[in-house]
Amino acid sequence: MSDAVQTQSTPNAAFTPRVFSGIQPSGNLHLGNYLGALKRFADAQEQGIESIYCMVDLHAITVWQDPADLARATRELCAGFIAAGVDPEKSILFNQSQVPEHTQMAWIFNCVARMGWMQRMTQFKDKAGKNAQNASLGLFAYPALMAADILVYHATHVPVGEDQKQHLELTRDIATKFNHDYGVDFFPITEPVIEGAATRVMSFRDGTKKMSKSDPSDMSRINLTDDADAIAKKIRKAKTDPDPLPDSLEGLQDRPEAMNLVNIYAALADLTPEQVIAEHAGQQFGTFKPSLADLAVAKLSPISTEMSRLMQDQGEIDRILGRGAERAREIATPILQKTYDIVGMIRS
Ligand code: TRP
């Protein structure tokens, strides 16, 4: 798999390989989150590398969140991880706010990162929009908290989407400057593990835009809570072009909507896009879409059923998050303490 963690290519020979990733609990988990993150994480579990997955509730409140919705979205995200196959015994699953070491480390990094670095962050500019003066200070500082999420575990590999590349470069800059300023070799230089095109799921209305929970059209995405009828209907109505499927991937170059459906088929069936094309070459969408719908229903229905089952037992979800937080703290606490020692903070 292209996602495989290449332990030999890391410049961090002194650090045990460790994976960290975070997802914002902002509601409406969709097919893009499943194929781009949750399923990838579940598949990577078989590599046997210690993996830490965090529901970043502190990142979520950098823009306004209704408290009840935030709590619900956090539990739903946890249910989504488990339903997708991430085992909370093998991996560490928790919500960020239960491990205070993240924010403690973030403060140190606020004092390492430079204003100029932060001002270059394109996600802040996009999210703050024209009214940047009215954005929260947290939204501006967000990438320093993200660096803390990663480095408080000495994580060496971070699987993320393309849009997080710049934040990971900042994480590397922060680690490098800290190590340099304090004359230590303490933080690893984290490797981004960027998702491949085949797991980047695009909107059903516009094949050039990412599938997104904030698209006003519900027809643009498959939600992980959609039932079989909704899934089939959305695939049937997905935008396509009038041509049949080509017999090679090159034939999909300028057909983003067709490419998207082929990629989704491949990711759901654990095939390569080449294999899907080989199997379905020459088919019209009137034939291909029903096959894709059957496949999607077969793969996604058990997940949505399992999510709703888990969501009925809030106590169990909270217990899993609490246990995950405990295990996370066992790793984070000594790293934070060592950081404080390096910086010159007295611990009595
Ligand atoms: N910023 C990430 C996103 O919006 C979420 C995130 C927060 C994250 N902390 C992280 C991802 C640490 C990877 C590692 O997608």
Side-chain angles (χ1 to χ4, degrees), residues 20-24 56 59 123 142 146 149-150 158 160 164 167:
F20 182 95
S21 196
I23 302 187
Q24 291 202 42
V56 290
H59 276 104
Q123 186 171 298
Y142 174 121
M146 179 164 162
D149 296 339
I150 296 164
V158 179
V160 281
Q164 295 301 313
H167 290 161

Side-chain angles (χ1 to χ4, degrees), residues 123-146:
Q123 186 171 298
F124 174 78
K125 291 187 227 173
D126 292 346
K127 282 203 182 177
K130 286 189 208 75
N131 205 0
Q133 290 302 311
N134 200 36
S136 72
L137 181 55
L139 188 66
F140 187 67
Y142 174 121
L145 176 59
M146 179 164 162

